[in-house]
Amino acid sequence: MKKLLVLLLLLTLVVSIAGCAPKEEVTGDIETETPVEEVVNNTPLVVGYSAFSEKFSPFFASTAYDIDASTLTQVNLLKTDRSGGIIYNSIEGETVAYNGVDYFYNGISDIKVDYDETSDITTYNIKIRDDVKFSDGETVDADDIIFSYYVLSDPTYTGSSTLYSYDILGMTNYRMNNSMAEVLSVSAEELAAELDNPGEDSQAFIEGFVSDVLVSELDWVKSLYGDDGWASYTEMHPIPKDLYAMFYNLDENYDSYTVEDETQVLNDILAQYGSDWKMLSVNYGGSESYFQPDIEGGVGEILLSNKLASSEGLEVPAIEGIKKLSQTEVEVKVRGFEAPAVYSICGIDVAPMHYYGDATMYDYDNNMFGFTRGDLSIVESKTSQPMGAGPYKFIKYEDKIVYYEANENYYKGEPETKYLQLKETTDGEMIAGVGTGEIDIANPSGSVAKFEELKAFNSNNETVGDVITASSVNNLGYGYIGINAVNVNVAGDISSEASKNLRKAFATIYAVYRDVSIDSYYGDAAMVINYPISNTSWAAPQKADAGYEIAFSKDVDGNPIYTSDMIADDKYAAALEAAKGFFIAAGYTFDETTGMFTAAPEGASLEYEVIVPGDGTGEHPAFAMLTDSREALAKLGITLTINDPSDTNVLWDSIDSNTHVMWTAAWGSTLDPDMYQVYHSSNGIGLGGTDSNSYNIADPELDKLIMDARQSSDQSFRKATYKQALDIILDWGVEVPNYQRQNLVIFSTERVNMSTVTPDITTYWVWMNDIELIKMN
């Protein structure tokens, strides 16, 4: 989830940059008589950045920062303009007006999308230039596109691309390696019967699944020792086997303290569970349905595999819907039409097959695609050393710095600045880094204090001056507070009204304190939002739209909580009373004498934790809101524990393991407002899906709306449909939309030639788009 909490999904449209570190001059072997001007040109452009994970791969980069580090070395098939519109004819280029100014855009491909209603097939035709070269001089051609598609389609692919989720002709057949895979299916009745009375293969799968989880959980328990966040548990149970037994023992008469051997304790607990995946679901995820998607998916695959084995299906060596038409042209055919598909199908980086794969293993006519099918180890081996046809060549990653050199073969011309560095740093050091000459470009958060710090460096005390030049645009993303439905519910039923009321009790309190918190932190650099979608999206509800409401502004009976004449303190009191109503409706026991709750219903608690990644210092836009909420909830007898770890990985790790309860973070968005990855039940991290739906919301109506919207090209229909989906998300109480901030990009006026920086920076057109033109002073 750490990959998705910072980024979405396929196109890196917002470059998150931050930082400072000692500036390092790269001079190389320069003769003493070299003109001074040439020496200056060898000074690197230094960009501050957040920490990297060293996955600099066009296939496997996961965080926004790693993706940016990779993108500098790559070219993408898809070109977009300053408004986010697609440039379909980018080989010759197109001129598009923005803000009264005409801008010319060109790229490496022409893209044509044709939907045939008769056959219900959408055809994507991609034609590329014949003069684009990779940084090693090799020409980019259709074989590199085909190779890239097959990597993303391989059944063992584990990156963030969802190309394979689209109904490309033959995709399922290829991934299952059977020509009948797209014809045969397993019915709900067949699956239910198999789960009630598992066959030998299904039984073995279920037992293996339960065993794997329990074994991995023992390793997880061991990792808790030395973690301050778990100190109360580890101190109570100094030996891991005993803490493990506390979590997973089913036998009330079993005493792990009398068993010396850790392996024996593990075997004893494995025997207790056997194939009881439902009990494991309860103890692991708080609900019997927690592992249901995993079990149903695995058993379903076994049933389908058995059907395929007895069918007359043939092996499938290639994907029917992906074809090479010439050395410069590729075609992709997809069943039906889905609006976001163009961004996944055409928005890929064209990776060099001869570098990431094995050229001796590529023969398109004989269904050989540059690597062994089902084995991407050759591709994964290059994850930390990217290569492509982008403006810069990767040199090395050393001492938390990514080093680049200009690509002399770049199709737009060799970059004006020969050397580039991305340096890791913290947000708090960014402005000072640019102001004092440590770095040249950064993207600090735009708080009130940060603006004052920035202005102080300029002699005119403005945001644009002689030392720093600042540019701000709405961020393609938004901040939110999340509530995990699997860990915040009543009686293990995540979708019950009681569970929704429990979550809405917290959400109501959080929501009322947003205004003062965001205003004090960001000032004019952010605004409170009321729907879980970035205001930059055309699908975002606007105040003038019918049905627009303030988030969590109605009580448990559906009545407005606030009136127009209420001052802040009145609103806080009203919100507290409304929260009390939600808690009571959730089944909490309220003592009228003390005015506090004294008992929680089954599966719920009087105490909950929220994680806020404020570097252990409270440096986060939601921190004040959470402290105010904590004080308010305490009046009702509800304890809200704020966990502000110095290491943000505490949050990401808790999400990865689905132990997170409540948290605050920010989403990065994409050009298309498709909600599939973040809100569709198939992606619930605690529902057996991928790790992108960290709320674990699972609503059949929401799933249907998401699919209806992505299968339409009618923007008005899609906006109305997404409004219904957003209302369902809010009704579940799993997400409190918090703020829409602006991106503050700052440049060193003294060292960067500002006349060479791309003009009219927007949400969709960041400074890096024309990086090859940037010159140093």
Side-chain angles (χ1 to χ4, degrees):
M1 192 52 209
K2 63 189 75 173
K3 68 185 73 167
L4 276 175
L5 284 175
V6 186
L7 100 47
L8 256 314
L9 304 173
L10 299 174
L11 298 176
T12 304
L13 300 172
V14 177
V15 182
S16 303
I17 52 178
C20 65
K23 190 165 184 178
E24 204 170 298
E25 184 169 341
V26 179
T27 58
D29 297 324
I30 301 175
E31 300 295 333
T32 55
E33 65 272 14
T34 301
V36 172
E37 185 177 7
E38 292 186 19
V39 174
V40 172
N41 285 343
N42 281 326
T43 300
L45 173 65
V46 183
V47 184
Y49 250 82
S50 291
F52 299 105
S53 301
E54 209 172 350
K55 291 184 178 179
F56 307 139
S57 167
F59 300 110
F60 299 108
S62 54
T63 69
Y65 319 116
D66 282 3
I67 290 175
D68 288 346
S70 169
T71 297
L72 285 165
T73 67
Q74 305 296 317
V75 289
N76 198 282
L77 290 176
L78 197 68
K79 187 73 175 180
T80 56
D81 62 24
R82 282 171 170 78
S83 298
I86 295 175
I87 303 298
Y88 286 96
N89 303 295
S90 75
I91 293 180
E92 289 189 8
E94 298 178 11
T95 297
V96 181
Y98 177 81
N99 209 19
V101 179
D102 287 337
Y103 289 105
F104 178 75
Y105 302 89
N106 67 328
I108 71 166
S109 70
D110 287 346
I111 294 171
K112 182 179 179 182
V113 182
D114 179 47
Y115 173 64
D116 182 70
E117 292 187 6
T118 303
S119 63
D120 192 30
I121 297 293
T122 302
T123 301
Y124 299 85
N125 181 274
I126 303 163
K127 183 177 178 61
I128 62 170
R129 294 170 50 155
D130 61 5
D131 61 346
V132 178
K133 295 183 181 298
F134 292 112
S135 59
D136 63 356
E138 294 288 324
T139 300
V140 178
D141 62 22
D143 291 324
D144 299 297
I145 300 175
I146 293 294
F147 164 76
S148 298
Y149 276 139
Y150 272 88
V151 171
L152 299 174
S153 304
D154 194 79
T156 64
Y157 173 71
T158 58
S160 61
S161 170
T162 57
L163 175 75
Y164 58 82
S165 71
Y166 291 98
D167 199 5
I168 297 173
L169 299 186
M171 176 65 77
T172 301
N173 286 347
Y174 176 77
R175 287 170 63 85
M176 296 290 291
N177 198 23
N178 191 297
S179 61
M180 296 294 289
E182 294 177 15
V183 177
L184 299 175
S185 63
V186 175
S187 68
E189 293 74 18
E190 289 174 315
L191 180 58
E194 183 70 8
L195 289 173
D196 288 340
N197 186 25
E200 183 178 344
D201 291 340
S202 296
Q203 183 70 19
F205 164 74
I206 295 172
E207 290 180 357
F209 180 88
V210 171
S211 175
D212 288 345
V213 171
L214 288 170
V215 170
S216 67
E217 282 300 278
L218 177 57
D219 291 333
W220 170 72
V221 167
K222 291 178 181 178
S223 73
L224 302 180
Y225 289 80
D227 185 336
D228 292 340
W230 291 91
S232 60
Y233 289 89
T234 56
E235 289 172 3
M236 185 182 300
H237 304 282
I239 303 176
K241 68 178 178 63
D242 301 316
L243 179 56
Y244 176 68
M246 186 205 78
F247 285 135
Y248 287 104
N249 174 41
L250 298 179
D251 184 354
E252 62 181 15
N253 296 317
Y254 184 77
D255 184 3
S256 65
Y257 282 89
T258 64
V259 182
E260 293 185 5
D261 185 50
E262 177 185 279
T263 302
Q264 186 59 52
V265 172
L266 174 62
N267 290 334
D268 291 342
I269 290 178
L270 287 172
Q272 291 177 18
Y273 282 86
S275 61
D276 192 349
W277 62 270
K278 290 185 178 180
M279 184 55 69
L280 178 64
S281 291
V282 171
N283 287 337
Y284 184 97
S287 167
E288 278 195 357
S289 62
Y290 186 89
F291 285 126
Q292 185 171 339
D294 296 272
I295 299 299
E296 290 183 347
V299 172
E301 284 188 11
I302 290 171
L303 292 178
L304 180 58
S305 295
N306 290 339
K307 281 190 175 184
L308 292 174
S310 60
S311 72
E312 296 180 356
L314 304 175
E315 291 188 357
V316 180
I319 302 169
E320 176 188 352
I322 298 179
K323 294 191 179 298
K324 170 185 170 183
L325 304 182
S326 71
Q327 283 304 110
T328 58
E329 196 168 0
V330 170
E331 177 184 86
V332 180
K333 288 185 177 291
V334 184
R335 293 184 185 87
F337 175 84
E338 295 185 63
V342 65
Y343 299 101
S344 293
I345 293 171
C346 302
I348 68 166
D349 290 335
V350 184
M353 179 269 295
H354 66 279
Y355 177 77
Y356 284 99
D358 184 344
T360 64
M361 299 179 68
Y362 186 89
D363 184 343
Y364 177 80
D365 293 331
N366 289 298
N367 299 316
M368 297 171 61
F369 303 108
F371 62 94
T372 301
R373 180 177 179 171
D375 180 7
L376 293 179
S377 58
I378 187 173
V379 182
E380 293 168 341
S381 68
K382 306 292 177 59
T383 294
S384 62
Q385 297 184 335
M387 198 270 274
Y392 280 90
K393 297 185 292 185
F394 173 85
I395 303 301
K396 63 180 178 178
Y397 173 67
E398 185 175 88
D399 297 329
K400 298 184 178 181
I401 303 173
V402 187
Y403 293 87
Y404 299 89
E405 184 176 356
N407 175 14
E408 64 272 21
N409 293 311
Y410 187 47
Y411 77 100
K412 287 188 175 183
E414 182 176 356
E416 295 286 348
T417 299
K418 186 170 185 179
Y419 298 106
L420 171 68
Q421 295 176 16
L422 307 185
K423 290 191 175 184
E424 295 183 18
T425 192
T426 63
D427 181 76
E429 299 173 315
M430 291 186 287
I431 293 174
V434 174
T436 60
E438 299 292 332
I439 55 177
D440 304 314
I441 302 175
N443 182 223
S445 57
S447 67
V448 172
K450 294 291 178 58
F451 273 105
E452 292 304 314
E453 180 186 4
L454 186 159
K455 293 176 183 178
F457 279 101
N458 290 328
S459 60
N460 61 1
N461 201 38
E462 299 291 340
T463 56
V464 176
D466 51 353
V467 176
I468 296 177
T469 295
S471 172
S472 60
V473 297
N474 280 335
N475 179 49
L476 189 63
Y478 66 95
Y480 70 93
I481 301 94
I483 302 177
N484 183 356
V486 164
N487 292 331
V488 184
N489 61 64
V490 176
D493 186 349
I494 64 174
S495 62
S496 70
E497 286 304 312
S499 293
K500 292 178 182 178
N501 286 330
L502 168 56
R503 295 189 291 267
K504 282 191 275 191
F506 284 97
T508 299
I509 295 296
Y510 291 154
V512 76
Y513 288 107
R514 293 176 302 167
D515 288 326
V516 65
S517 177
I518 299 307
D519 183 64
S520 63
Y521 189 90
Y522 281 118
D524 294 334
M527 62 181 293
V528 169
I529 59 174
N530 290 302
Y531 290 89
I533 185 172
S534 172
N535 273 357
T536 61
S537 174
W538 52 261
Q542 303 300 317
K543 290 183 179 180
D545 294 347
Y548 182 94
E549 292 183 349
I550 303 299
F552 302 104
S553 60
K554 290 185 177 180
D555 64 19
V556 69
D557 296 318
N559 300 314
I561 299 173
Y562 315 110
T563 60
S564 59
D565 60 347
M566 283 184 173
I567 62 174
D569 286 342
D570 295 335
K571 290 183 178 180
Y572 302 150
L576 192 64
E577 187 65 22
K580 183 177 79 173
F582 280 116
F583 279 122
I584 291 173
Y588 278 70
T589 302
F590 185 72
D591 186 333
E592 294 288 351
T593 303
T594 63
M596 293 188 175
F597 290 102
T598 57
E602 178 188 353
S605 175
L606 290 171
E607 180 176 352
Y608 285 93
E609 177 191 69
V610 59
I611 301 178
V612 53
D615 295 328
T617 63
E619 182 61 31
H620 193 282
F623 194 82
M625 178 200 65
L626 294 175
T627 55
D628 288 340
S629 297
R630 177 179 60 191
E631 293 177 8
L633 289 165
K635 297 176 183 178
L636 296 176
I638 304 296
T639 300
L640 180 67
T641 301
I642 300 174
N643 181 359
D644 177 14
S646 58
D647 182 359
T648 57
N649 283 318
V650 170
L651 170 59
W652 311 136
D653 291 344
S654 72
I655 291 174
D656 283 344
S657 61
N658 198 49
T659 58
H660 62 307
V661 179
M662 303 181 196
W663 73 103
T664 180
W667 282 118
S669 303
T670 56
L671 276 170
D672 190 271
D674 181 35
M675 297 180 176
Y676 181 79
Q677 279 195 305
V678 178
Y679 300 107
H680 197 279
S681 61
S682 64
N683 295 318
I685 189 171
L687 303 171
T690 65
D691 58 0
S692 50
N693 176 359
S694 53
Y695 312 104
N696 288 308
I697 184 171
D699 189 291
E701 183 181 356
L702 175 61
D703 286 350
K704 182 179 184 302
L705 290 169
I706 290 172
M707 298 310 296
D708 287 347
R710 74 180 341 217
Q711 291 168 354
S712 173
S713 60
D714 184 336
Q715 191 171 99
S716 296
F717 169 80
R718 297 186 75 205
K719 180 171 182 176
T721 303
Y722 282 135
K723 173 59 167 61
Q724 296 177 60
L726 293 168
D727 287 340
I728 290 175
I729 295 165
L730 292 174
D731 183 60
W732 268 67
V734 293
E735 181 176 0
V736 181
N738 195 6
Y739 61 87
Q740 169 73 62
R741 70 172 176 85
Q742 291 189 319
N743 276 332
L744 179 61
V745 184
I746 60 175
F747 302 85
S748 168
T749 313
E750 297 174 318
R751 296 181 306 283
V752 177
N753 184 336
M754 293 305 299
S755 68
T756 65
V757 175
T758 189
D760 271 335
I761 294 173
T762 73
T763 300
Y764 304 103
W765 187 263
V766 298
W767 71 270
M768 195 180 283
N769 282 93
D770 288 329
I771 194 171
E772 74 279 359
L773 302 178
I774 293 180
K775 295 180 180 179
M776 305 297 289
N777 286 328

